[in-house]
Every structure is written in structure tokens, then in C-alpha cells.
Amino acid sequence: MYKLLPELVVLLGVVGFSFAAIQRPDYDDTPNPKFLNPFWMASIPDDQPLSAITMPGTHNTMSLYGGVYAECQTWSLASQLRAGVRFLDVRVRHVNGNLTIHHGVSYQWAHFGHVLEGVVDFLHEYPSETVLMRLKEEFSETNNIYGAVVDCIHHYAYWDLLWHSRLVPTMGEARGKLIILQDFTGPDLGIRYGSLDIADDWKVPTLLNLEEKWQSVYKHLDAAPSGNMGQIFLTYASGAGVFAHPRAVAKGINPQLYEYLQAKANQNQRFGIICMDFPAAPMIQMIIDFQLKEVVKTNKPDLEHATFLLRQMIKHFAATK
């Protein structure tokens, strides 16, 4: 019995009923970021492919309600965007053509239209930026959200706001655009989510499994600098389980992520999208600072890179015609 006591303490320790807000360099569950960074993409060269950019993201971006097992963020969408977040993870429940925001069973007191309005407002204010949005169906199984998504875009945004291609754009092409990472069936609305190189080992049964989770994050981040430069890398630092809710996992993983990035600070590397629960402004700033000073060019470009060059040639021909 006594041998089990440490494990019981760990397990019971994550099922707390009240939490004092914390604002650390790596973790923040207070209502507002310590500082903002709304137009950091303005300094990125126009010819830089989006796949070469390192950017911060939030997992279950709109999950601010529902208790410790549902809540993944405490900042509003507007605050996240102004803090520097550029990847949004949005989950919609589809009922009779209506798209409400959910995290599992937990309704998040928002509609997909509210998300679109928030992105439109931000990009109008900061046209130098772009926003990537993973969009998927949650807590419903219609497998047919395409029409409802299109209706919302027409009603709450506008068609030209979107990047209408599966190809990865350059920063110049992406400015002022919402890039939907399409995690649902139907005609193309943007880039297919499955085309990204993704590490999302989100299942963390207990806090005793934090090291396994960190190893997944660590290995994918280590692979990103030498990975396919024509492909967007996406690493989820978030996770949860029955005995490890999102806050508890973030409190354990975010410090390791912070230390990892701190150790790489002087290296010219890309890490792709780093997606987190409860990120802090200093962590976001550290991720933003990882921008390639020069895009890595290979002697033997792969198919994605060749497609990118062809697209640039077509664009140049059209402009001079």
C-alpha cells in the first residue's frame, strides 16, 4: 500500500477543484497575456515559404469553458492573435447546418461565425499577418460540414479572405489571408491538414506519462530543421487523460519546451508550428524569434519545392503577359 502512495498522490493531485492563476514565462492561465506581439510577421521576407516559418499556435483555441478537463486556454481569440498566435485549432459541432464550437461534449459559448469575425477583424487591423486554422468536426458525426462552413464564410467573412490552394504559399501571398487547414471532406477550401508533418500524441493517461509525451514533442522538434522544407511541420505540446487534465500536462510539458527552445536560441533553424495549451507571452516571443535568416535551398529539390518554383514562374508569366 505504501509503495503505491506516491502514485496515488500524483493521480489525486491532478483532480483539484480550484486553481490559482499562474503567469510564468512558459505557462499562463491568467485572463490576459503579459505583453502583445500583433504584427511580428511584417519583418518576414515576402518570398519566404510559409513552411519555413516557425510560429506559435494554440490547441483547442476556443476551449475556455467546461471545467479542468475541457479548458485549454484562458485568453480570448483576440488576445491570442494579438499575443502572436498564428495557428488556431477550431472544433465545430454540426447540427442542422449550424456550427457551434465544442471541446468534446463541452459547448464553448461560441459559433464558428464568431471565430471568422475575430479573424477578419484582426487581419483588417494587421494586414501584414496571416492566420492558419485547422478546422474539424467535433461531437457530431455528420462528416458533411463543407456546406455549413462555406455558408459561414459568406455570412461572417468573405470568399477572398481565404487562401484557395493546396499549395503552401509564400509569406507575401499569405498576408491578410486565412489559410484553412482542412480536416474534413469536401472540395478544397485551403491546404489539406493531412498534408502536414504532424506529431499529435495527445493521450497522456496520467502525469506519470509526461516523459513519454515530452519525448514525442522533442523528437518531432528535432526532426523539423532537417525535414522537408516544402512541408509544414506541426508539433502539439498539448495532451490530456483521465488523470492528467490539460492544465496539469501543460504545467509539466511547457517548462521542458521552454528550456529546449532556450538551448536552441542561437541556432538558425525552423521548427514549424508549435501548438500549446496555456502558452505564455515569453514562450510565444521565443518561438517567434526562430525565423530563418535565409531560406535553406537544396541541390535536389523534392516535388513540393519543384511545385513551388513552378507556381512562382506561372505567377511571373501572368504578371508580364
Side-chain angles (χ1 to χ4, degrees):
M1 180 67 182
Y2 290 109
K3 292 180 180 179
L4 294 175
L5 190 58
E7 295 184 11
L8 288 172
V9 170
V10 170
L11 296 180
L12 293 174
V14 304
V15 192
F17 295 100
S18 63
F19 296 87
I22 299 171
Q23 192 171 65
R24 305 187 316 216
D26 57 89
Y27 173 95
D28 190 344
D29 62 6
T30 65
N32 299 296
K34 188 174 183 179
F35 56 85
L36 303 180
N37 204 334
F39 49 87
W40 62 270
M41 287 182 150
S43 62
I44 298 175
D46 278 349
D47 62 353
Q48 187 102 319
L50 215 60
S51 54
I53 297 172
T54 300
M55 68 180 78
T58 49
H59 159 256
N60 257 300
T61 300
M62 300 296 292
S63 294
L64 279 68
Y65 307 100
V68 294
Y69 283 97
E71 295 164 8
C72 298
Q73 313 297 333
T74 52
W75 302 343
S76 68
L77 174 62
S79 292
Q80 290 182 42
L81 290 170
R82 283 165 173 75
V85 170
R86 293 294 175 269
F87 168 86
L88 311 178
D89 176 25
V90 178
R91 319 291 182 91
V92 295
R93 183 186 184 191
H94 184 213
V95 180
N96 298 325
N98 195 37
L99 298 176
T100 53
I101 305 299
H102 268 253
H103 181 187
V105 69
S106 296
Y107 172 53
Q108 295 302 315
W109 300 97
H111 185 275
F112 182 52
H114 300 149
V115 179
L116 289 172
E117 287 175 336
V119 172
V120 168
D121 289 346
F122 175 76
L123 291 176
H124 279 178
E125 188 174 0
Y126 301 103
S128 63
E129 309 303 289
T130 187
V131 175
L132 288 75
M133 182 194 297
R134 178 207 184 177
L135 184 59
K136 66 166 292 200
E137 185 175 8
E138 181 134 341
F139 199 57
S140 58
E141 297 179 357
T142 67
N143 296 314
N144 186 26
I145 68 171
Y146 179 85
V149 170
V150 169
D151 288 345
C152 277
I153 291 167
H154 284 302
H155 187 75
Y156 294 97
Y158 51 94
W159 200 238
D160 288 343
L161 176 71
L162 270 57
W163 169 251
H164 292 286
S165 174
R166 289 193 181 196
L167 300 175
V168 175
T170 63
M171 189 66 240
E173 293 170 324
R175 295 194 197 280
K177 297 284 187 183
L178 168 62
I179 301 172
I180 290 181
L181 302 175
Q182 188 171 340
D183 198 5
F184 55 92
T185 58
D188 288 352
L189 280 179
I191 297 173
R192 296 286 172 168
Y193 180 72
S195 70
L196 279 61
D197 190 314
I198 303 167
D200 185 15
D201 295 317
W202 64 269
K203 293 182 180 179
V204 183
T206 76
L207 294 186
L208 301 175
N209 302 104
L210 280 178
E211 181 56 27
E212 297 168 33
K213 171 61 185 178
W214 170 244
Q215 285 302 314
S216 168
V217 173
Y218 172 86
K219 289 176 183 177
H220 202 248
L221 289 176
D222 254 17
S226 59
N228 182 354
M229 290 301 294
Q231 187 176 26
I232 297 173
F233 269 64
L234 169 58
T235 307
Y236 285 88
S238 53
V242 175
F243 294 105
H245 54 70
R247 265 187 176 85
V249 173
K251 286 177 183 176
I253 295 297
N254 287 14
Q256 297 184 78
L257 176 61
Y258 189 83
E259 289 179 8
Y260 174 90
L261 294 173
Q262 210 169 28
K264 302 281 187 179
N266 295 322
Q267 300 179 28
N268 185 31
Q269 296 180 331
R270 72 96 191 236
F271 292 101
I273 301 167
I274 303 175
C275 189
M276 302 160 285
D277 284 340
F278 306 103
M283 174 90 89
I284 289 172
Q285 181 64 60
M286 188 180 294
I287 292 169
I288 288 170
D289 288 343
F290 280 99
Q291 302 310 324
L292 294 181
K293 296 177 178 65
E294 183 179 350
V295 180
V296 177
K297 296 179 175 62
T298 59
N299 293 326
K300 296 180 180 180
D302 53 28
L303 180 59
E304 288 83 358
H305 187 61
T307 303
F308 170 74
L309 294 175
L310 179 61
R311 175 162 46 86
Q312 293 298 97
M313 292 171 61
I314 293 171
K315 180 180 175 183
H316 176 73
F317 176 79
T320 56
K321 189 174 179 180

